[in-house]
Amino acid sequence: MTISASMLLFGCQPASDSTPVEDSTTSAHSDSSQKAISTEATANTNNSNRTDIDWTKLDSKISPVNPEDFKYPFELDSQSVLAYADFFHITPAEARHSLTIGTASNEPLPELLDQLGDHYRSHELTDGKDVTLIIHTSPEVTASRYDYVFSEPFAQGLTMPIIIQPKSTTQAETTQSKTESPDNP
């Protein structure tokens, strides 16, 4: 039940039209919890009419924690953890981590949506061992990746990768024509 409720909250979209992401800008957390933020990503719009995400606005100022030392809100032997582990063929510890990340995954969305405005198309949350938030955008947005550190107590210090994945004009037209096709039930 927790899995179903979580999925409804996140507005997840299927990944069937996803394409590989080119990391044009990257931000990561080092072991000393310092963030290396690319100077390209600090401007909302660069000179080539591309829109970049300003990852500094998503910096929670929280140091990443070791997932093995985190006090999770789910018990390892809880029904939701065991069901998730069984469904995705992962360990209960991996399932508990993924459920926690998935439940907290909405935290960075308001800032991302504010920055993207009309460039936002959809988002999805991957399931399984490595939960990742993928934001699909218009082609004008620069592809990038960032490791977001949660600030809310529920997942404070845990890290979730965020991928900005622009859809090309060709992809958007193909997706639109599939949904408008009279043969498509």
Side-chain angles (χ1 to χ4, degrees):
M1 183 183 301
T2 301
I3 297 169
S4 300
S6 296
M7 300 312 281
L8 287 174
L9 290 173
F10 306 126
C12 296
Q13 301 293 322
S16 60
D17 61 346
S18 297
T19 57
V21 172
E22 297 174 25
D23 285 347
S24 63
T25 59
T26 301
S27 175
H29 302 285
S30 67
D31 291 336
S32 64
S33 76
Q34 301 262 337
K35 296 179 184 159
I37 300 176
S38 169
T39 55
E40 287 179 45
T42 59
N44 268 345
T45 306
N46 62 26
N47 292 336
S48 64
N49 293 326
R50 304 278 306 165
T51 299
D52 296 328
I53 295 297
D54 181 353
W55 293 115
T56 62
K57 291 182 177 181
L58 276 93
D59 184 356
S60 65
K61 310 280 191 264
I62 301 292
S63 297
V65 298
N66 182 345
E68 293 175 13
D69 298 332
F70 186 77
K71 182 165 175 38
Y72 287 93
F74 300 102
E75 295 296 326
L76 269 178
D77 60 352
S78 69
Q79 184 180 3
S80 57
V81 168
L82 295 176
Y84 194 95
D86 184 53
F87 187 82
F88 290 106
H89 307 291
I90 58 178
T91 68
E94 292 167 335
R96 177 174 67 176
H97 178 77
S98 293
L99 281 170
T100 304
I101 296 295
T103 303
S105 66
N106 281 340
E107 185 178 308
L109 280 177
E111 178 60 41
L112 285 167
L113 296 176
D114 283 349
Q115 288 191 48
L116 289 169
D118 292 340
H119 296 294
Y120 170 82
R121 295 297 177 256
S122 65
H123 68 277
E124 63 183 290
L125 190 65
T126 63
D127 286 319
K129 183 178 176 181
D130 300 312
V131 175
T132 301
L133 179 62
I134 301 171
I135 309 292
H136 299 282
T137 68
S138 66
E140 297 82 21
V141 178
T142 303
S144 58
R145 183 184 187 282
Y146 180 75
D147 289 328
Y148 179 77
V149 180
F150 291 99
S151 63
E152 294 297 320
F154 186 81
Q156 188 174 42
L158 293 178
T159 303
M160 174 183 68
I162 300 173
I163 296 174
I164 302 298
Q165 190 168 38
K167 289 187 176 186
S168 69
T169 306
T170 307
Q171 282 178 308
E173 290 169 358
T174 303
T175 303
Q176 185 177 7
S177 66
K178 283 181 183 177
T179 59
E180 293 176 356
S181 171
D183 298 331
N184 194 9

